[in-house]
Amino acid sequence: TQLLEQSPQFLSIQEGENLTVYCNSSSVFSSLQWYRQEPGEGPVLLVTVVTGGEVKKLKRLTFQFGDARKDSSLHITAAQPGDTGLYLCAGVVGAQKLVFGQGTRLTINP
Amino acid sequence: EAGVAQSPRYKIIEKRQSVAFWCNPISGHATLYWYQQILGQGPKLLIQFQNNGVVDDSQLPKDRFSAERLKGVDSTLKIQPAKLEDSAVYLCASSFVSGKYNEQFFGPGTRLTVL
């Protein structure tokens, strides 16, 4: 069974601070995705990382895939209240199956 | 482009009752997924369809859960009889059958409360 562990599970910080969320597994994934989910809505894809060591940036969000394709991190610079939400990492198994971590609930306080 | 539609948005039932959820995927998406998301956890895949065939139902509790996708478009997920531990958000997602990067588009979910 392939499992993804996210840490921390909860994070509450002040606007303007930086933060990093981690996603770890003992399994290798062909690629890894990060989603954000807001209350009452389904997850929305933020990014897919494919190559070991890959780094992708999405405005103030930086995503990194570990060299061995077993772990990933999400770094947010100068967090804003609009970044509040549940962040989910998901490992891609085979061609189309996703295995999700338990999520990190992020709260940015004004 | 219309997103994934789900109904109802909320449902409250008593244990041992039956319930059904409906999903309409994005037009043209061949692959459809049903996930269960228990409070405080990430989504867990219950069943995956490609067109109207089942690709993966290894985590579907088949003694009480069933799903169908007639004509390869809409899908229904049924629970009969419901247990307290079935309280969760049931998410439907769809995707193109394309390459190795699987972008799934999720609906808003149905929040089920079993009393």
Side-chain angles (χ1 to χ4, degrees):
Chain A
T1 302
Q2 293 163 300
L3 296 174
L4 280 167
E5 294 287 337
Q6 286 188 238
S7 62
Q9 291 192 42
F10 300 93
L11 184 59
S12 180
I13 63 172
Q14 294 300 119
E15 181 177 0
E17 294 183 352
N18 302 331
L19 66 108
T20 302
V21 175
Y22 299 93
C23 175
N24 296 293
S25 176
S26 58
S27 303
V28 176
F29 293 98
S30 58
S31 60
L32 193 137
Q33 298 180 335
W34 284 91
Y35 289 79
R36 185 168 80 187
Q37 185 176 21
E38 302 197 21
E41 299 181 11
V44 175
L45 180 66
L46 297 174
V47 76
T48 300
V49 285
V50 178
T51 306
E54 181 176 5
V55 176
K56 280 192 174 180
K57 293 190 175 184
L58 185 65
K59 296 183 181 178
R60 294 175 293 99
L61 278 61
T62 301
F63 304 85
Q64 184 162 6
F65 202 12
D67 291 341
R69 304 205 321 273
K70 294 182 178 180
D71 55 86
S72 181
S73 63
L74 158 60
H75 182 79
I76 301 179
T77 303
Q80 298 178 2
D83 296 327
T84 292
L86 178 67
Y87 288 81
L88 296 157
C89 66
V92 180
V93 178
Q96 297 186 346
K97 182 175 179 177
L98 296 181
V99 175
F100 281 88
Q102 78 272 42
T104 294
R105 189 162 298 280
L106 175 64
T107 303
I108 310 300
N109 303 299
Chain B
E1 179 181 82
V4 176
Q6 289 188 248
S7 67
R9 292 295 311 274
Y10 305 92
K11 190 73 177 179
I12 301 174
I13 62 173
E14 295 188 351
K15 60 183 179 182
R16 291 188 289 275
Q17 286 187 325
S18 301
V19 65
F21 312 128
W22 174 81
C23 172
N24 189 345
I26 292 174
S27 177
H29 281 195
T31 309
L32 184 147
Y33 312 80
W34 282 102
Y35 290 87
Q36 180 191 58
Q37 186 174 22
I38 294 173
L39 185 64
Q41 298 181 20
K44 182 184 83 171
L45 179 68
L46 293 175
I47 190 167
Q48 176 184 343
F49 292 95
Q50 185 158 317
N51 296 308
N52 60 352
V54 175
V55 174
D56 186 341
D57 63 357
S58 57
Q59 298 193 90
L60 186 74
K62 299 180 185 64
D63 58 334
R64 298 183 301 106
F65 286 64
S66 64
E68 60 181 11
R69 190 183 184 197
L70 300 177
K71 300 181 181 179
V73 181
D74 293 8
S75 178
T76 56
L77 176 69
K78 297 179 181 178
I79 307 175
Q80 179 180 4
K83 293 184 175 181
L84 297 176
E85 58 262 36
D86 298 332
S87 293
V89 174
Y90 290 84
L91 294 164
C92 179
S94 69
S95 68
F96 276 117
V97 178
S98 63
K100 55 184 175 178
Y101 308 145
N102 175 20
E103 179 174 6
Q104 297 187 16
F105 296 83
F106 286 81
T110 296
R111 181 175 297 277
L112 173 67
T113 301
V114 181
L115 302 175

